[in-house]
Amino acid sequence: VSNSYFEYVRYGNQWLIGFKVNSSIIFEFKEKIRSFLEVYLRFNLISVDLSIKSLRSGRVFFLGYEVFLLRNSCIVMGGRSPYSRGNYLRFEAPIRKLLEVLVELGVIKFTTNGVRPVSKASHICLEDHCILEYFCTLWIKISEYYSGSTAPHRLYYIHHLLRISCSMTLAHRHRTT
């Protein structure tokens, strides 16, 4: 198709395919991609969701990142990296999902006013250095995984919550404030 470009990124079994085409052609591409993956690469796509989303109208989740396009911007395809200056394709940490994980881990909780760090009660029986190691390891895993984020400052909030939760856990262990 003339004036059409596409690029893809694959990691394991996750694919993100970007198109710069007329929107009416996308559904034709979807079927060709499905056929190629099933016939030539022998992927079993029975339980796979091949969805079409516009980066202009929302966010796409890929490998734990929120991928989206800034308003009133374009992506230069074919030759320039999406990370290079002038492109406005964004890769950000999904803060809401990270908060949900921290709730499951028992280091924060949702309240009517927002988010509140809490003491990790299951760790108060541990030595101080073990508590510190737990929280440091948790932060290092999060910060290293999202080191490719185009907005790393958004992770400072997560870091702040973990520091307060660690302090509260140590205070709980020593029965102090």
Side-chain angles (χ1 to χ4, degrees):
V1 179
S2 63
N3 295 332
S4 299
Y5 298 99
F6 80 93
E7 292 186 5
Y8 71 92
V9 177
R10 176 185 159 262
Y11 186 84
N13 64 350
Q14 293 192 22
W15 295 66
L16 181 64
I17 304 172
F19 290 97
K20 184 180 179 185
V21 296
N22 184 332
S23 61
S24 63
I25 300 172
I26 298 239
F27 291 99
E28 178 184 335
F29 273 124
K30 180 180 175 183
E31 291 311 312
K32 286 183 179 183
I33 290 169
R34 178 181 290 280
S35 175
F36 177 77
L37 292 174
E38 288 178 339
V39 174
Y40 293 102
L41 299 182
R42 297 197 165 125
F43 284 152
N44 182 2
L45 298 177
I46 293 171
S47 63
V48 174
D49 176 33
L50 292 177
S51 58
I52 296 173
K53 297 179 183 174
S54 171
L55 289 179
R56 297 206 181 279
S57 61
R59 295 172 183 243
V60 175
F61 291 95
F62 181 66
L63 298 176
Y65 281 84
E66 292 178 346
V67 182
F68 64 98
L69 189 61
L70 290 179
R71 293 175 198 228
N72 301 323
S73 62
C74 63
I75 300 174
V76 177
M77 299 181 77
R80 286 185 63 193
S81 165
Y83 300 107
S84 60
R85 299 190 89 153
N87 291 328
Y88 300 99
L89 190 60
R90 308 292 293 179
F91 299 85
E92 293 186 3
I95 299 301
R96 180 68 184 184
K97 288 187 177 190
L98 285 172
L99 292 175
E100 290 170 1
V101 169
L102 294 179
V103 167
E104 290 176 18
L105 292 174
V107 297
I108 66 168
K109 69 178 185 177
F110 290 118
T111 66
T112 55
N113 296 334
V115 177
R116 182 177 174 273
V118 295
S119 169
K120 184 156 177 69
S122 64
H123 281 46
I124 61 169
C125 60
L126 299 176
E127 296 290 326
D128 290 354
H129 69 91
C130 294
I131 294 170
L132 288 170
E133 185 177 324
Y134 172 79
F135 282 95
C136 286
T137 301
L138 188 56
W139 167 244
I140 288 169
K141 287 180 179 180
I142 292 170
S143 64
E144 284 183 355
Y145 188 83
Y146 291 105
S147 63
S149 175
T150 52
H153 63 278
R154 294 185 70 214
L155 290 173
Y156 296 160
Y157 181 58
I158 301 295
H159 185 244
H160 172 74
L161 293 173
L162 288 173
R163 287 179 59 193
I164 300 298
S165 179
C166 180
S167 298
M168 291 176 78
T169 304
L170 289 167
H172 189 182
R173 172 175 159 58
H174 295 285
R175 296 188 175 126
T176 185
T177 57

